[in-house]
Amino acid sequence: MTTETAPTSNPSTGTGRRRTKKIDFTSEAIVSLRDWKDAGAQSAKSTPASWYTSPDIFELECRQLFAKTWHVVGHADKVANTGDYFTVELLGLPIIVARDRKGDVHAMSNVCLHRAAPVAVGEGNTKFGFSCLYHGWSYNHDGSGRSCSGMEDAADFDPKALQLPKYEVRVWEKWVFVAPGGGAPDFDEWIETTAFRAARYNMGELEFHGARRYVLDLNWKLINDANHEAYHVPFVHPGLVNAYSVAKNYGVVDPDELRGNDDADRGANMSPDVNGYTHMANEISGELLAMEPNPRGPFSKVIAALGGTSDYRKIKPALDCLQDRDKLAHYFLFNWPGLSHFHFMPDGLGLILLVPIDHEHTEVYVEWWMPKVSRFDERLLQAALIVFGNQILDEDGAMTQLVWTGLQSGAYDTGRFAPTMEGLLYAYNVWYIEQLQAGLEREEA
């Protein structure tokens, strides 16, 4: 079941407040995780059904994966000026992001140190900082204490010694990223492959063109799995079937070469008859390339109305800044553990964020960035592209919902990887499991 919610330009509000739960270290899923060993791409089995349906695995993911990575929490323009701020909830943590008078951006707890009330709501601009809604305790833009009216007679109490808990924060291109727990990878390393692609797209010229937010009744890994392979494209996405030939595009990658691939710009060095690839871009990210689709669906009527050509790029040229193969290339970048997916395309950029709510509900947030255009036909083509993108998302959502039903049935435990066409998914699964196993050791220590 898909539930649509109101779209906003705040990517990661989260849904509901997560409460920490105890992990049953004797559960079937945890025991099988502890015993897992990599059998190699040619022999490996896929992730067991119990790892999707288990609340114990999800709790372990929250503590050892989600808390130790970077999350998109909002747009950078929301904190462009001194005093700007916005509030967000991330993994059950109420957070304020604010820019101080020195120009620095801070991410801090939105929980007052007096009685746990919020010190800010919504977004906006505040000249002097924040004041708790409950009893008026005030804090500076960096979360340090400023004054606490009524506490003058309290012993051993200095308001200026207060400090709201702080989180790692970075501003990159259009977005603000926050790492809510310790142990996150270096941000520059984590964003490296995405930044490599972004450098070609004149990001400053791209404008926000809308967002969509919806909730799927399934585990987050099912969406992430689908995004990491193109094996399913001819069967699930009829609008792309003429563009993506699985045998031609994705049969060229040797899964044994996925790890440690040091060719950062693999797309530029491909032979002209190769139309795609999947690979590990570095140790904590993956990339999928597909050459230009000439999609059916909403484009067929739009193209007919605007001239009837079968060559979409004759009426919708690629971004002026793009060169060579990039004018026809669609790069999908996955920053692991896979909660943020960047889609660089000849028309601009799409961003997909997965927000796990619990082990059986996932919020999906999608936004689009394209250059500003003035003519009606240009706006119509951009709108058609967004409609088509949403169609692809809905097809993935419908299929993974069916898979979720199968996983819960008890009739399925684990399957096999298609070694080449699911090579990147296999490589991701190895990384995911190794991270969880290390986290399990820390939990049990």
Side-chain angles (χ1 to χ4, degrees):
M1 177 180 177
T2 302
T3 303
E4 294 279 350
T5 56
T8 70
S9 60
N10 194 0
S12 184
T13 60
T15 301
R17 183 154 299 173
R18 198 186 76 83
R19 294 182 178 179
T20 301
K21 300 177 182 178
K22 292 183 178 180
I23 297 175
D24 180 0
F25 294 106
T26 65
S27 68
E28 174 191 350
I30 295 295
V31 170
S32 63
L33 170 65
R34 189 184 292 113
D35 295 339
W36 178 89
K37 292 180 175 61
D38 180 20
Q42 304 294 331
S43 303
K45 292 184 177 181
S46 57
T47 309
S50 63
W51 294 12
Y52 294 85
T53 61
S54 166
D56 296 305
I57 291 290
F58 181 78
E59 182 64 28
L60 185 62
E61 290 170 342
C62 288
R63 298 183 193 181
Q64 300 296 334
L65 283 184
F66 307 155
K68 298 178 181 296
T69 192
W70 294 93
H71 301 259
V72 178
V73 297
H75 290 166
D77 60 8
K78 292 180 179 291
V79 287
N81 304 306
T82 297
D84 283 353
Y85 75 93
F86 65 86
T87 60
V88 66
E89 187 171 289
L90 177 62
L91 300 179
L93 298 172
I95 292 174
I96 309 171
V97 177
R99 187 177 292 274
D100 67 16
R101 295 183 179 183
K102 297 179 181 179
D104 297 327
V105 174
H106 303 270
M108 70 210 88
S109 170
N110 190 17
V111 178
C112 182
L113 299 176
H114 179 222
R115 292 290 183 269
V119 301
V121 294
E123 60 185 67
N125 185 278
T126 173
K127 184 175 182 180
F128 297 108
F130 308 100
S131 182
C132 176
L133 281 67
Y134 199 4
H135 298 99
W137 285 27
S138 63
Y139 303 84
N140 296 308
H141 294 111
D142 63 356
S144 59
R146 190 170 74 248
S147 65
C148 301
S149 178
M151 295 296 293
E152 293 80 6
D153 296 332
D156 301 319
F157 182 83
D158 180 5
K160 290 182 171 52
L162 298 175
Q163 175 63 61
L164 296 173
K166 301 185 73 172
Y167 308 105
E168 288 189 87
V169 61
R170 295 289 187 277
V171 177
W172 178 80
E173 295 291 354
K174 305 289 188 181
W175 303 276
V176 177
F177 296 76
V178 169
D186 176 78
F187 179 78
D188 291 334
E189 179 183 355
W190 184 80
I191 203 70
E192 177 184 14
T193 54
T194 303
F196 176 82
R197 293 297 172 203
R200 304 181 183 186
Y201 284 76
N202 284 358
M203 296 289 287
E205 297 181 4
L206 302 183
E207 297 185 353
F208 179 68
H209 274 249
R212 177 189 181 194
R213 189 189 303 276
Y214 55 99
V215 175
L216 296 173
D217 297 340
L218 46 73
N219 185 268
W220 70 277
K221 291 190 290 295
L222 290 179
I223 299 295
N224 192 50
D225 290 352
N227 289 345
H228 270 76
E229 49 90 358
Y231 190 12
H232 71 284
V233 168
F235 312 103
V236 178
H237 305 304
L240 297 177
V241 70
N242 289 338
Y244 297 154
S245 170
V246 171
K248 183 176 181 180
N249 288 3
Y250 300 97
V252 300
V253 178
D254 182 346
D256 293 333
E257 296 178 358
L258 284 167
R259 288 181 171 275
N261 189 315
D262 59 1
D263 186 354
D265 193 11
R266 197 168 175 187
N269 299 322
M270 293 190 312
S271 62
D273 61 337
V274 174
N275 290 333
Y277 62 72
T278 60
H279 75 130
M280 281 182 70
N282 60 25
E283 289 300 316
I284 51 177
S285 65
E287 181 179 59
L288 182 153
L289 165 69
M291 296 306 290
E292 183 72 74
N294 184 11
R296 298 195 295 267
F299 279 107
S300 58
K301 294 182 179 180
V302 172
I303 290 175
L306 296 177
T309 177
S310 61
D311 186 348
Y312 173 58
R313 287 300 162 199
K314 286 184 178 180
I315 61 173
K316 181 68 170 65
L319 298 175
D320 292 338
C321 59
L322 298 180
Q323 303 293 323
D324 304 323
R325 292 179 69 92
D326 286 351
K327 292 182 178 181
L328 297 174
H330 290 245
Y331 298 100
F332 299 84
L333 278 298
F334 311 110
N335 302 300
W336 294 347
L339 302 182
S340 59
H341 303 169
F342 290 85
H343 173 196
F344 291 94
M345 53 189 169
D347 310 271
L349 171 70
L351 171 64
I352 302 174
L353 300 179
L354 304 183
V355 184
I357 299 170
D358 55 33
H359 68 286
E360 52 189 1
H361 297 92
T362 303
E363 180 180 283
V364 182
Y365 174 87
V366 188
E367 61 183 33
W368 306 89
W369 294 80
M370 301 180 196
K372 184 177 181 179
V373 294
S374 56
R375 298 200 320 264
F376 171 77
D377 60 333
E378 293 175 316
R379 295 198 302 271
L380 183 61
L381 286 168
Q382 286 183 337
L385 177 64
I386 292 173
V387 169
F388 185 74
N390 283 325
Q391 175 184 316
I392 301 302
L393 292 169
D394 288 342
E395 290 167 353
D396 277 333
M399 178 51 64
T400 51
Q401 195 71 67
L402 294 173
V403 174
W404 178 242
T405 299
L407 288 176
Q408 294 177 300
S409 69
Y412 174 91
D413 178 28
T414 185
R416 291 288 298 273
F417 286 105
T420 297
M421 288 181 282
E422 294 181 308
L424 178 60
L425 178 59
Y426 157 74
Y428 168 77
N429 270 262
V430 172
W431 178 90
Y432 162 84
I433 296 169
E434 289 176 348
Q435 298 302 306
L436 273 197
Q437 286 182 326
L440 183 59
E441 292 182 3
R442 290 191 292 269
E443 292 287 338
E444 293 182 309

